Amino acid sequence: MAQYTPMIQQYLAIKKDYPDTFLFFRLGDFYELFFDDAILASRELEITLTGRDGGGSERIPMCGVPHHAADGYIAELLKKGHKVAVCEQVEDPKEAKGVVRREVTRVITPGTMMEGKWLTDKENNYMAALAQVEGRTGVAACDMSTGEMYVTSLAGQAESVLDEALQYRPKELVFFGLAALPKTALPSTVVDAHQLDVFAVDSQYAEQAKGLDVSMRAAVNALLFYIGTTQKRSLAHMRLLKQYDAKQYLQMDGFSRRNLELTETIRDKTKKGSLLWLLDRTQTAMGGRLLRRWIERPLLSRDQLEARLSAVEALKGDMLLRSDLRTCLDRVYDLERLAGRISYGNANARDLIQLRMSLEAVPELKQYMIQTNTPVLMELANGMDECADIVNYLAHALVDDPPISVREGGMIRTGYDEYLDKLHTASREGKTWIAQLEQGEREATGIRSLKVGFNKVFGYYIEISKSNIANVPAGRYERKQTLANAERYITPELKEREALILEAEEKMIELEYQLFVAVRSEVAKHIPRLQNLAERIASVDVLQAFATVSDERGFVRPELVESGDYVITEGRHPVVEAVLEREKYVANDVEMDQTNRQVLLITGPNMAGKSTYMRQIALITVMAQIGCFVPAKQAKLSIVDQIFTRIGAADDLVGGHSTFMVEMLETRHALQKATAKSLILLDEIGRGTSTYDGMALAQAVIEYICQKIGAKTLFSTHYHELTGLAETLSGVVNVNARCEEREGKLLFLHKIEEGRADKSYGIHVAELAEMPTWVIERARSILTGLEANGSTGNGNAASDVQMSLETLWTAPVAAVREEPMQFASAEEEAIMAELRELDLNSTTPMDAMMKLYAWKQQLKKR
Ligand SMILES: Nc1ncnc2c1ncn2[C@@H]1O[C@H](COP(=O)(O)OP(=O)(O)O)[C@@H](O)[C@H]1O
Ligand SMILES: [Mg+2]
């Protein structure tokens, strides 16, 4: 077997340590990928696959990207969920003996991206870990770009707590100690027991980690371990460890979050059209991220909610103050990510200027907050550290408009460093000397067009045009370069000055860089102060966003009650209302309580507004429980502990399960976990199976909820038979989405009113859809039969179904009699005729038996 070249051997040795990453191998001005990496990357990035001799028997697949364009390609791979290891040349190729030494300098993964250009402002970039130890599962999630880390622990197996981790919409998962890995499409890494001491607590979290149980520690440690292996830099900014109990928030499972379109729409997965989109009137990036977190974790504590609502009320009531506050917030940059970059060591001078400008807005911001005279806002303001020391320090150290690069100088302000100022003076004096030289030489030679110039190759020179060369005194200059129409000269003094200037400039750039790094490190010492401030600013920002949207859209403050009552007057769906714009959204009331009106059974034809009504109620609940005003004329709400939804039979086809199975899984989930304080939305369940099954299941589910759980429930159904339940089950009430028939057209009023829908409009809709007349007529006659037989609503839906189905069986005869029975054969006709003629009075049992036997034989022959 042929031997690979030394470089390929080096590649293979490095690649061995990074098996699941794309290895970007630096080769001159390119990053090259080899072997399978190359094949896959050429496909993912749509770049040309080539080959290279590497000493082996076959050419090695290869593809490459220019090093200066690498970021774009890396971002592309990260977006697709891949990891990338960047392998650099770590010695000067000119000095290398043999193959240039190379090392992986960073591993970039979807969950550990830090660069601003790869991140979305108003979105966190989380990665999460699940760690199972001693029967509990710890869930930790962190965003490296902001330095946040959250941790909780849940009883039970990882599969059931995966939901908790997925709430963060992590880009990547880390597992530890799991018996079986949950199925997910996310990039995942398993950390082994021998890699990790679950009890060890990393020093940066030493204080905060004291209260953590072992599963939480394991989760935090697994995350830190993984991050440590990919990042080869300081993680000092990751200091905020927040432990929480999932039960302190309103619980919603993944299905429900999706169904309610809280942060993205079901159809195209975009923010536009979601509740988040409607409410996002935040001015800062961290406010935007906090809003998302609040929406994902509504509160249960009435005190906390009242506090938020009072702040919103104050800000909503004072438009001028709010507008000032918004303008002020607009001056604040992304403090959290600035802090992250500062401590991570990749912030530039412009970042520090942004930090300074953000901090400069704080005193004014506090003023406005205190002016509201509202406890929450005043408390938030009083805890805001203006960081005047940092502002002063930065103002003293850095100029106002530094360049993007930190390697060109031009960052440090005069007066900050004595030596730097001296170098500046030397360089300035040198330049003055040169300017004066030009003037002096013009006078001395009498050549008025003489000028002093500079270029990178020759440095400073004196230039004289061809026509004047004759006037140059002999021996005055040394000739250096001849151009088409000029000569360039130097003098020893000029070169001496030049050396001084260049040396000073080189030193200045190097010194500026060092000073800048020192300034950055100094600021990095104050990261926790900045993070604390950022958190407070984010909170005000979200509160003012609530006030702004509530004012603009006419939302009202909900009254939170303990009674179990749930009454909304003229409620609206906040997003549908906003999208409808000109057309008027029809407001609807809701009245529910813990006893007489616990389950609302909603009937009405398709498109009548049932689903919208149900979603509207859930969204109003979520809005109230994040502390926002709600779209209604008036709302008296009891705090809800969990929301379950089962909406839209055709909406989701989750891999592997039939729609009906998904439906049953989601319904089971609700039945298992709901309490009397929960809100359950079941939208047309039972549709995915036969009428019989579906209706029976639907009824059983309603009975179970009513009798065993007591949760407030909205149940829409197309089984009109179920409306009979209202008479037998106390707590079940019929409402319907009203429609009217006008001039042969069905008019959807979108108005929810008491009572059952009195007519099925299905056939009408079919008619509008131009179904064959035969089908329409036939359906009408079947329906008449059904109605005559009366699904009278005696309260027993299942027996109603039975009756309806019997009616259905008998109906065909009635309707089709006029037409010939096409299915009867000649033999059958003959048998029928015989049967009709048979006189039973004169037939012995034996004869009857014989006759039957004969007929059977006849039929068998067919
Ligand atoms: N209250 C309302 N006011 C105005 N339009 C509404 C209202 N409720 C629903 N709609 C409109 O009617 C359409 C159908 O509503 P939907 O709730 O899906 O009906 P259903 O679930 O009864 O089939 C929605 O897309 C929406 O645009
Ligand atoms: Mg619907």
Side-chain angles (χ1 to χ4, degrees):
M1 196 191 100
Q3 186 77 49
Y4 282 127
T5 59
M7 193 196 75
I8 293 299
Q9 285 179 33
Q10 180 191 40
Y11 171 87
L12 289 170
I14 295 173
K15 175 68 192 174
K16 195 157 54 75
D17 292 334
Y18 299 91
D20 60 346
T21 63
F22 282 99
L23 185 65
F24 275 50
F25 192 76
R26 184 69 178 263
L27 212 61
D29 285 339
F30 276 76
Y31 288 111
E32 302 288 359
L33 294 108
F34 299 112
F35 300 101
D36 287 350
D37 274 9
I39 295 170
L40 204 65
S42 70
R43 215 177 296 147
E44 294 281 47
L45 298 173
E46 294 176 16
I47 52 179
T48 320
L49 183 67
T50 59
R52 170 189 186 101
D53 281 325
S57 48
E58 283 168 21
R59 279 167 71 79
I60 295 167
M62 174 176 98
C63 68
V65 301
H67 80 98
H68 58 80
D71 274 353
Y73 291 103
I74 293 175
E76 193 66 30
L77 289 171
L78 292 173
K79 230 187 282 160
K80 295 186 171 179
H82 300 296
K83 304 177 188 178
V84 172
V86 180
C87 177
E88 298 287 359
Q89 301 176 167
V90 292
E91 67 182 339
D92 191 336
K94 280 183 230 121
E95 286 159 24
K97 296 186 188 77
V99 183
V100 185
R101 216 151 45 78
R102 289 185 176 84
E103 271 171 25
V104 169
T105 53
R106 58 194 175 134
V107 179
I108 312 158
T109 73
T112 58
M113 296 185 292
M114 287 285 291
E115 319 286 320
K117 54 187 174 291
W118 292 332
L119 300 168
T120 312
D121 275 356
K122 287 185 167 181
E123 262 174 58
N124 275 104
N125 194 57
Y126 286 115
M127 59 181 311
L130 293 182
Q132 206 170 299
V133 187
E134 294 173 4
R136 290 187 72 81
T137 308
V139 176
C142 78
D143 179 343
M144 284 189 49
S145 67
T146 62
E148 298 151 86
M149 167 89 91
Y150 300 93
V151 65
T152 189
S153 125
L154 292 95
Q157 297 299 304
E159 188 79 54
S160 61
V161 292
L162 183 62
D163 231 28
E164 182 64 31
L166 293 182
Q167 271 180 28
Y168 292 94
R169 301 142 147 284
K171 298 276 163 46
E172 217 175 328
L173 290 172
V174 176
F175 300 121
F176 174 84
L178 263 52
L181 295 185
K183 257 193 240 137
T184 127
L186 292 167
S188 308
T189 308
V190 177
V191 176
D192 291 332
H194 71 265
Q195 292 176 296
L196 199 67
D197 176 0
V198 295
F199 295 99
V201 173
D202 206 282
S203 56
Q204 82 210 72
Y205 293 126
E207 257 321 290
Q208 294 142 301
K210 274 182 185 149
L212 303 185
D213 77 18
V214 63
S215 70
M216 289 194 253
R217 284 179 191 208
V220 170
N221 284 342
L223 260 189
L224 289 176
F225 172 81
Y226 175 72
I227 294 170
T229 58
T230 55
Q231 309 300 306
K232 294 158 194 274
R233 286 186 253 190
S234 154
L235 298 175
H237 69 295
M238 294 185 43
R239 297 237 191 109
L240 287 177
L241 179 65
K242 289 192 182 158
Q243 187 200 337
Y244 67 95
D245 179 355
K247 293 220 173 63
Q248 76 201 52
Y249 300 108
L250 189 157
Q251 301 261 295
M252 282 177 279
D253 52 34
F255 306 123
S256 302
R257 287 165 196 285
R258 252 205 333 272
N259 283 338
L260 294 176
E261 307 193 307
L262 294 182
T263 58
E264 62 179 30
T265 58
I266 296 173
R267 199 177 311 160
D268 42 19
K269 302 256 178 284
T270 54
K271 176 177 165 186
K272 185 158 195 281
S274 67
L275 180 65
L276 174 64
W277 163 77
L278 184 83
L279 298 183
D280 191 358
R281 302 301 301 275
T282 56
Q283 298 285 80
T284 66
M286 55 236 174
R289 292 192 297 267
L290 184 65
L291 171 62
R292 192 184 277 268
R293 287 206 294 279
W294 280 13
I295 290 177
E296 279 168 355
R297 294 198 185 277
L299 300 174
L300 298 180
S301 150
R302 189 171 158 190
D303 289 346
Q304 283 177 326
L305 287 171
E306 295 290 4
R308 282 187 192 175
L309 289 167
S310 297
V312 174
E313 180 154 38
L315 291 168
K316 177 172 177 269
D318 193 337
M319 201 156 105
L320 281 179
L321 181 69
R322 194 172 75 233
S323 145
D324 286 342
L325 187 87
R326 285 174 61 85
T327 315
C328 195
L329 283 169
D330 209 25
R331 290 160 50 197
V332 179
Y333 290 86
D334 194 342
L335 279 180
E336 286 174 331
R337 285 195 170 141
L338 283 174
R341 288 210 291 279
I342 289 166
S343 91
Y344 203 57
N346 55 2
N348 61 22
R350 286 206 184 160
D351 288 330
L352 293 188
I353 294 303
Q354 288 188 354
L355 172 64
R356 194 192 92 201
M357 293 186 346
S358 306
L359 294 177
E360 280 169 350
V362 174
E364 194 183 327
L365 186 66
K366 285 172 73 169
Q367 287 273 303
Y368 297 136
M369 292 164 70
I370 289 166
Q371 268 178 48
T372 62
N373 229 334
T374 312
V376 185
L377 292 171
M378 290 169 74
E379 189 279 323
L380 277 173
N382 290 330
M384 279 184 178
D385 181 346
E386 294 176 14
C387 300
D389 51 335
I390 301 177
V391 174
N392 291 336
Y393 176 63
L394 288 173
H396 178 55
L398 300 180
V399 300
D400 292 339
D401 51 353
I404 293 176
S405 165
V406 294
R407 300 275 186 183
E408 289 172 4
M411 301 179 287
I412 305 291
R413 204 186 276 280
T414 316
Y416 178 69
D417 185 84
E418 217 176 309
Y419 184 51
L420 182 67
D421 289 349
K422 271 191 187 150
L423 293 172
H424 267 297
T425 312
S427 142
R428 213 176 315 117
E429 278 172 358
K431 284 178 179 163
T432 315
W433 184 90
I434 284 170
Q436 284 165 354
L437 175 79
E438 189 177 74
Q439 197 51 39
E441 291 305 302
R442 277 183 193 166
E443 281 162 20
T445 60
I447 304 170
R448 302 192 57 193
S449 63
L450 176 150
K451 61 179 188 212
V452 176
F454 175 83
N455 74 29
K456 280 202 172 127
V457 184
F458 295 110
Y460 287 98
Y461 52 78
I462 296 165
E463 186 173 295
I464 294 170
S465 60
K466 279 264 156 70
S467 54
N468 286 313
I469 292 173
N471 299 332
V472 177
R476 188 169 183 90
Y477 309 132
E478 197 179 308
R479 212 169 68 198
K480 187 77 189 171
Q481 190 188 10
T482 305
L483 302 179
N485 50 6
E487 289 285 337
R488 286 178 176 172
Y489 304 92
I490 54 170
T491 70
E493 293 112 308
L494 181 60
K495 284 292 122 178
E496 216 170 277
R497 286 289 175 166
E498 175 191 297
L500 283 177
I501 295 171
L502 293 185
E503 191 187 294
E505 277 180 355
E506 195 176 307
K507 277 191 185 153
M508 268 171 1
I509 286 172
E510 180 54 32
L511 181 59
E512 284 224 9
Y513 176 72
Q514 282 169 11
L515 289 171
F516 171 75
V517 170
V519 168
R520 192 169 62 192
S521 311
E522 183 56 35
V523 175
K525 290 181 193 154
H526 303 280
I527 298 295
R529 290 169 67 194
L530 297 175
Q531 284 172 332
N532 182 297
L533 177 65
E535 233 181 293
R536 287 170 185 270
I537 293 176
S539 297
V540 197
D541 195 10
V542 178
L543 292 169
Q544 73 73 21
F546 286 171
T548 304
V549 72
S550 297
D551 192 21
E552 284 175 8
R553 306 219 66 97
F555 297 167
V556 297
R557 178 172 182 162
E559 182 192 344
L560 304 175
V561 297
E562 309 277 354
S563 60
D565 289 354
Y566 195 95
V567 184
I568 299 169
T569 314
E570 295 186 19
R572 286 117 53 200
H573 186 301
V575 181
V576 175
E577 173 189 50
V579 172
L580 279 183
E581 282 177 30
R582 281 176 188 284
E583 293 166 61
K584 197 100 175 65
Y585 188 84
V586 181
N588 275 304
D589 299 343
V590 184
E591 193 190 333
M592 298 182 86
D593 60 34
Q594 217 52 45
T595 47
N596 299 320
R597 299 178 65 89
Q598 187 212 322
V599 176
L600 296 188
L601 203 65
I602 311 167
T603 44
N606 277 333
M607 293 301 288
K610 301 183 296 297
S611 303
T612 309
Y613 180 65
M614 295 170 78
R615 283 199 167 97
Q616 159 184 326
I617 293 167
L619 286 177
I620 287 178
T621 300
V622 169
M623 288 169 78
Q625 291 187 226
I626 59 177
C628 185
F629 283 18
V630 298
K633 196 170 168 206
Q634 212 181 339
K636 192 165 99 182
L637 310 174
S638 295
I639 290 177
V640 161
D641 67 350
Q642 301 173 82
I643 296 178
F644 300 93
T645 66
R646 168 57 229 176
I647 291 179
D651 291 351
D652 41 27
L653 280 168
V654 181
H657 292 308
S658 70
T659 308
F660 182 62
M661 189 62 185
V662 173
E663 188 171 288
M664 289 300 107
L665 284 172
E666 293 183 15
T667 308
R668 180 203 69 182
H669 186 75
L671 298 185
Q672 272 179 343
K673 302 222 164 148
T675 72
K677 289 192 166 173
S678 307
L679 179 65
I680 304 179
L681 311 184
L682 297 172
D683 197 356
E684 309 211 11
I685 68 157
R687 206 146 78 158
T689 183
S690 75
T691 314
Y692 238 160
D693 281 1
M695 215 183 302
L697 275 165
Q699 178 173 343
V701 166
I702 294 176
E703 287 173 357
Y704 187 85
I705 291 174
C706 232
Q707 291 168 355
K708 309 249 185 228
I709 304 177
K712 286 194 194 62
T713 304
L714 294 152
F715 195 107
S716 78
T717 182
H718 54 288
Y719 300 130
H720 286 252
E721 293 80 357
L722 289 179
T723 54
L725 276 174
E727 277 138 54
T728 49
L729 266 181
S730 77
V732 178
V733 174
N734 286 320
V735 298
N736 73 91
R738 205 168 124 220
C739 289
E740 274 176 12
E741 213 174 325
R742 270 185 217 158
E743 291 155 14
K745 282 199 173 151
L746 199 57
L747 204 67
F748 300 114
L749 301 180
H750 303 306
K751 196 76 193 167
I752 307 291
E753 58 177 23
E754 295 287 306
R756 69 176 87 177
D758 54 4
K759 191 165 175 189
S760 169
Y761 292 90
I763 296 175
H764 200 99
V765 175
E767 199 175 6
L768 290 179
E770 295 182 10
M771 279 270 213
T773 324
W774 194 91
V775 173
I776 302 289
E777 295 287 291
R778 177 80 182 108
R780 285 235 162 86
S781 89
I782 296 172
L783 184 68
T784 313
L786 283 169
E787 280 172 356
N789 255 293
S791 299
T792 45
N794 63 6
N796 187 335
S799 78
D800 276 355
V801 183
Q802 187 87 39
M803 197 181 291
S804 314
L805 293 177
E806 276 162 10
T807 323
L808 236 151
W809 286 117
T810 52
V813 188
V816 185
R817 186 157 288 162
E818 312 93 73
E819 292 169 38
M821 303 264 277
Q822 293 156 344
F823 50 80
S825 68
E827 286 100 319
E828 285 163 340
E829 288 284 24
I831 294 169
M832 291 291 228
E834 266 191 79
L835 185 59
R836 255 182 241 122
E837 302 301 332
L838 197 69
D839 181 7
L840 287 179
N841 290 329
S842 60
T843 316
T844 63
M846 196 56 188
D847 283 342
M849 196 62 201
M850 298 297 286
K851 254 298 163 267
L852 277 172
Y853 181 74
W855 287 340
K856 229 169 143 65
Q857 289 304 111
Q858 246 170 296
L859 287 175
K860 248 192 203 158
K861 266 187 267 158
R862 291 208 328 127

